[in-house]
Amino acid sequence: MKRVWKVFAAAALVFNLAACGQKPSSETAPAAQTTQGSVAVIDPASIKTIGDGIAANDGTVDQYAAYQNTFLYAFANGGKVYRLTASLSDQQFQAIMDLDFSDPDVDAKRTAIISPLKVEKVEELTSQQPKQADLDALIGKTGQDLLNDGWTQYGFSLDEMKYYMNKGAYAFEVVFEGRYEGENPLPDDFDGDEFMKPLKVKSVTCTGIGDAVNIEG
């Protein structure tokens, strides 16, 4: 799984808030229980293919990742976020890797490749969001402790000593003790991870879905 292809049509997503994103087209629709807006609220057991998930997507979360042998798709429906896992052949993986993002038909071509993939696992992520009590237990840990535990950072605001981090499928705001007293603006070779390592955690807040198609999440 050295090579990966990802598409995030919505970023910085929160479970209970309407976020940006687009709902791809699909020819396959899963069975429905009730209707929310124009999208049927699905029974997760009805999801048999990636195309079923695409058809059920309400547009607030839309994430894809193709790894060698594995395809992950995350979408929202009925106020919940689901992650689908499907097997991917070498030929299908290569077809995805060969897609040309400058092609105006790239979305349709991608959908044609991934829609027939058979779903092997359906996970409902919303209810698995970490509880605040568990996050509070991280107070006093160091940045190095977080990195050792698989946390990754994708940005920071040193004025607030706040780091934006991912762990598993979720995104977090981590505030550290201390202050930055170095050059301003930051030098080109500033290493956010290195600066964070000795700092102690002051607070951690989950902001919702982060990288839901991280194969290690």
Coordinates of all heavy atoms in Angstrom, one line a residue, residues 1 13 20 29 49 52 59 93 119 126 128 131-132 139 147 149 155 159 176-177 187 191 207:
M1 N 0.8 -1.2 0.0 CA 0.0 0.0 0.0 C 0.9 1.3 0.0 O 0.7 2.2 0.8 CB -0.9 0.0 1.2 CG -1.9 -1.2 1.2 SD -3.1 -1.1 2.5 CE -4.1 -2.5 2.2
L13 N -14.9 18.9 8.2 CA -16.4 18.6 8.3 C -16.7 18.3 9.8 O -16.0 17.8 10.5 CB -16.7 17.3 7.5 CG -16.3 17.5 6.0 CD1 -16.4 16.2 5.3 CD2 -17.3 18.5 5.4
C20 N -19.6 22.0 3.3 CA -19.5 22.0 1.9 C -19.3 20.6 1.3 O -18.9 19.7 1.9 CB -18.4 23.0 1.4 SG -16.8 22.4 2.1
A29 N -29.3 2.9 -6.3 CA -29.8 3.5 -5.0 C -30.1 2.4 -4.0 O -30.7 1.4 -4.3 CB -31.1 4.3 -5.3
T49 N -22.8 -2.0 -2.6 CA -21.7 -1.5 -3.5 C -21.3 -0.1 -3.2 O -22.1 0.6 -2.5 CB -22.1 -1.6 -5.0 OG1 -23.1 -0.6 -5.2 CG2 -22.6 -3.0 -5.4
D52 N -24.0 2.3 -4.2 CA -25.0 2.5 -3.2 C -24.7 3.6 -2.3 O -25.6 4.4 -2.0 CB -25.3 1.2 -2.4 CG -25.9 0.1 -3.3 OD1 -26.4 0.3 -4.3 OD2 -25.8 -1.1 -2.8
G59 N -24.3 14.8 0.6 CA -23.5 15.9 0.1 C -22.6 16.6 1.1 O -21.8 17.5 0.8
F93 N -7.2 -0.5 -9.6 CA -6.4 0.5 -8.9 C -5.6 1.4 -10.0 O -5.5 2.6 -9.9 CB -5.4 -0.1 -8.0 CG -4.4 0.8 -7.3 CD1 -4.8 1.6 -6.3 CD2 -3.1 0.9 -7.7 CE1 -3.9 2.5 -5.7 CE2 -2.2 1.8 -7.1 CZ -2.6 2.6 -6.1
V119 N -19.0 -3.9 -1.4 CA -18.7 -3.4 -0.1 C -18.5 -4.6 0.8 O -19.3 -5.5 0.9 CB -19.8 -2.5 0.5 CG1 -19.5 -2.2 1.9 CG2 -19.8 -1.2 -0.3
T126 N -20.1 8.2 13.2 CA -20.6 9.3 14.1 C -20.6 8.9 15.5 O -20.1 9.7 16.4 CB -22.0 9.7 13.6 OG1 -22.0 9.8 12.2 CG2 -22.4 11.0 14.3
Q128 N -18.8 6.8 17.0 CA -17.5 6.5 17.5 C -16.6 7.7 17.9 O -15.5 7.6 18.3 CB -16.7 5.6 16.5 CG -17.4 4.3 16.2 CD -16.7 3.5 15.1 OE1 -15.5 3.7 14.9 NE2 -17.5 2.7 14.4
K131 N -15.1 10.8 23.2 CA -15.8 11.5 24.2 C -14.8 12.6 24.8 O -13.6 12.3 24.9 CB -16.3 10.6 25.3 CG -17.3 9.6 24.8 CD -17.9 8.8 25.9 CE -18.9 7.7 25.5 NZ -19.6 7.9 24.2
Q132 N -15.4 13.7 25.2 CA -14.5 14.7 25.8 C -13.7 14.3 27.0 O -12.6 14.7 27.2 CB -15.4 16.0 26.1 CG -14.6 17.2 26.5 CD -13.6 17.6 25.4 OE1 -14.1 17.7 24.2 NE2 -12.4 17.9 25.7
I139 N -4.6 15.8 28.6 CA -4.0 17.1 29.1 C -2.7 16.7 29.9 O -2.8 15.8 30.8 CB -5.0 17.8 30.0 CG1 -6.2 18.3 29.1 CG2 -4.4 19.0 30.7 CD1 -7.3 18.9 29.9
L147 N 2.3 12.3 18.7 CA 2.9 11.8 17.5 C 3.2 10.3 17.6 O 3.0 9.6 16.7 CB 4.2 12.6 17.2 CG 4.0 14.1 16.8 CD1 5.4 14.7 16.7 CD2 3.2 14.2 15.5
D149 N 1.6 8.2 19.2 CA 0.3 7.5 19.3 C -0.5 7.6 17.9 O -1.6 7.3 17.8 CB -0.6 8.1 20.4 CG -1.8 7.2 20.7 OD1 -1.6 6.0 20.6 OD2 -2.9 7.7 21.0
G155 N -1.7 21.7 10.3 CA -1.7 23.2 10.4 C -1.6 23.6 11.8 O -1.8 22.8 12.8
D159 N 0.1 31.9 17.4 CA -0.5 33.0 18.2 C -1.3 32.4 19.3 O -1.4 33.0 20.4 CB -1.3 34.0 17.3 CG -0.4 34.8 16.4 OD1 0.8 34.9 16.7 OD2 -0.9 35.4 15.5
F176 N -1.7 23.9 23.1 CA -0.5 23.5 23.9 C -0.2 24.7 24.9 O -0.5 25.9 24.6 CB 0.7 23.2 23.0 CG 0.6 21.9 22.3 CD1 0.2 21.9 21.0 CD2 1.0 20.7 22.9 CE1 0.1 20.7 20.3 CE2 0.9 19.5 22.2 CZ 0.4 19.5 20.9
E177 N 0.5 24.3 26.0 CA 1.0 25.3 26.9 C 2.2 26.0 26.3 O 2.8 25.5 25.3 CB 1.4 24.7 28.2 CG 0.2 24.1 29.0 CD 0.6 23.4 30.3 OE1 1.9 23.3 30.5 OE2 -0.2 22.9 31.0
P187 N 10.3 31.2 9.8 CA 11.3 30.9 8.7 C 10.9 29.8 7.8 O 10.0 29.0 8.2 CB 12.6 30.5 9.6 CG 12.0 30.0 10.9 CD 10.8 30.9 11.1
D191 N 9.8 23.8 11.4 CA 9.3 22.4 11.5 C 8.2 22.4 12.7 O 8.6 22.4 13.8 CB 10.4 21.4 11.8 CG 9.9 19.9 11.7 OD1 8.8 19.7 12.1 OD2 10.7 19.1 11.3
T207 N -13.4 18.3 16.4 CA -14.2 19.1 15.6 C -15.0 18.4 14.5 O -15.7 18.9 13.7 CB -13.3 20.1 14.8 OG1 -12.3 19.4 14.1 CG2 -12.6 21.1 15.8

